[in-house]
Structure formats: structure tokens, C-alpha cells
Amino acid sequence: MSTEAILNTVDIVKLENDMEVESFESEDRDLNDFLLNDARDYLKSLLAVTYLLKIGDETVAYFSLSNDNLIKNDSERPVWNRINRFIPNNKRRRSYPAVKIGRLAVAKKYAGKGLGKRIILAIQNMYINEPQRAGCRFLMVDAYRGALPFYQKNDFKFLTEQDSADATRTMYFDLKAI
Ligand SMILES: CC(C)(COP(=O)(O)OP(=O)(O)OC[C@H]1O[C@@H](n2cnc3c(N)ncnc32)[C@H](O)[C@@H]1OP(=O)(O)O)[C@@H](O)C(=O)NCCC(=O)NCCS
């Protein structure tokens, strides 16, 4: 299937308690295991909501979301100043409401065809254009090292330099930047 056909065909479906995901194979075993074995428990426990990207019956990618908080780190003043620059003076706080992309993976077979980007656009759309139940200003992710260029291409920024040598790095995206 061409890249264009994939992007035109894919549906985004919320994972429900009674849904089975029978197979999913991305490059990352932990992310595969989460979807196959844990995602419904996280849903039942109100800890994360998972969304599946489906082409017909096949799950081609998924992501999960949880509420989060972007908290001021006093040792990263320039970053905080940049964040605050787009927030009116009288609304500036030490923390802002956010949503965390807890997990995100594209099946190996479909990697590099724009599905990751489609996921980011879908999440932005959920929190900007769809009816809101709570304020949410930022997207957050603890990005795997291998996925840093992907998030950078999607305009996520690093929150701190303190995690620059870690296995994951915290990144954020300001929804008002769109
Ligand atoms: C990272 C991942 C989600 C990217 O999904 P994808 O569908 O392959 O990415 P896309 O095709 O939408 O790529 C979007 C852009 O990011 C770039 N990109 C994606 N992965 C990249 C990588 N590893 N290195 C450099 N650039 C990358 C693409 O070139 C593309 O750039 P363009 O818009 O200029 O063409 C996918 O490779 C994956 O599931 N990896 C394993 C799990 C993982 O690391 N998840 C992230 C957890 S934090």
C-alpha cells in the first residue's frame, strides 16, 4: 500500500475494555508488550487511555495519554522564560496543565510512512479543536533517544539539559504555538 493510501485509510479508535489486540510489532519490545498485555489494565485503573491506529483489522500504530503537569525547574531559567513568553503575565504560574504521551509506537512494517506524524497531529487536534473537559496547554513526552529526531521534527523542545545523557529526555510542545 502506498504511503498516501495508508494515511488515507487509517482510522483512530479508542481502546475499550472489551477489545483484544492480537498482534503488534514495533521496534520496541516493551512498547509491544504494553499494548498486548497492559493497556487495558491502565484503562481500567484510570491511569492511561490508549488509542489504536487501524487499517481494517490490523493495528498499525498506537499511543497512550495521561494527564500531566509541566512544572518549573528553577535551574532551567532560559527554558522557563521561553515557555512563559507566550503566556500572558497575569496567567503565569509555576506549573501548567499538560497531557503526557506515555507511549507511542508504529509497527515496523509501517515505519517511515508518516503515521508517527499523524499521531502527533491527532493529539494536537484532540486538545485544540475537540470539545475540552479540562484545560491542557502542553504536550509532554519522555522521549527515547532513538525517537528524539522524530519529536524534534514535530517541533517538540527539550525541557532541560540535565537529562541530556539519559536514556529518555523530557520534551514539550506548546499547543498555542500552532
Ligand atoms: C519513532 C516512531 C514513532 C516514528 O514513527 P514514524 O511513523 O516512522 O515517523 P514518521 O514517518 O511520521 O516521521 C515523521 C518525521 O520524523 C522523521 N523521523 C522519524 N523517525 C526518525 C528517526 N528515528 N530519526 C530521524 N528522523 C526520524 C521522519 O524522517 C519524518 O520527517 P519529515 O517530516 O521531514 O519527512 C517510530 O519509528 C517507532 O515506533 N519507533 C519505535 C518506538 C519508539 O521509539 N517510540 C517513541 C517512544 S518515546
Side-chain angles (χ1 to χ4, degrees):
M1 202 187 282
S2 71
T3 299
E4 196 186 338
I6 288 169
L7 293 175
N8 286 337
T9 318
V10 74
D11 283 323
I12 301 185
V13 178
K14 180 176 169 288
L15 178 78
E16 301 292 354
N17 284 326
D18 59 356
M19 280 183 186
E20 283 285 347
V21 181
E22 273 156 20
S23 66
F24 181 72
E25 208 176 315
S26 77
E27 273 174 20
D28 187 280
R29 284 174 65 178
D30 290 343
L31 291 173
N32 301 342
D33 184 60
F34 175 85
L35 181 60
L36 299 175
N37 300 313
D38 296 329
R40 288 186 302 174
D41 282 342
Y42 274 69
L43 177 67
K44 280 183 212 145
S45 312
L46 307 181
L47 292 173
V49 175
T50 297
Y51 297 86
L52 310 175
L53 276 75
K54 307 275 292 185
I55 295 182
D57 289 337
E58 190 179 6
T59 301
V60 297
Y62 84 92
F63 59 99
S64 58
L65 301 177
S66 305
N67 287 351
D68 198 12
N69 215 358
L70 173 52
I71 300 172
K72 182 175 182 186
N73 175 344
D74 286 322
S75 53
E76 297 285 356
R77 275 188 186 281
V79 176
W80 199 251
N81 289 343
R82 192 170 63 223
I83 288 169
N84 265 342
R85 207 178 307 145
F86 301 103
I87 306 230
N89 261 326
N90 62 350
K91 295 187 176 57
R92 290 182 184 167
R93 300 285 181 271
R94 289 187 62 83
S95 75
Y96 295 115
V99 64
K100 172 163 282 183
I101 305 171
R103 289 171 178 84
L104 187 167
V106 174
K108 271 191 231 170
K109 195 174 143 186
Y110 290 90
K113 297 184 185 301
L115 287 172
K117 191 179 185 72
R118 168 62 62 86
I119 290 175
I120 301 296
L121 292 173
I123 299 170
Q124 290 166 348
N125 186 51
M126 277 175 169
Y127 286 91
I128 294 173
N129 298 320
E130 290 181 15
Q132 303 299 306
R133 289 171 187 264
C136 173
R137 175 68 187 247
F138 294 93
L139 307 184
M140 306 287 296
V141 66
D142 292 327
Y144 289 2
R145 295 205 75 79
L148 296 179
F150 164 73
Y151 288 107
Q152 286 176 298
K153 283 226 161 157
N154 284 290
D155 294 325
F156 281 66
K157 309 282 184 228
F158 295 115
L159 190 58
T160 174
E161 285 308 313
Q162 289 166 344
D163 60 7
S164 60
D166 295 354
T168 61
R169 294 200 65 183
T170 304
M171 302 182 82
Y172 71 93
F173 178 90
D174 185 349
L175 288 162
K176 285 297 266 187
I178 293 179

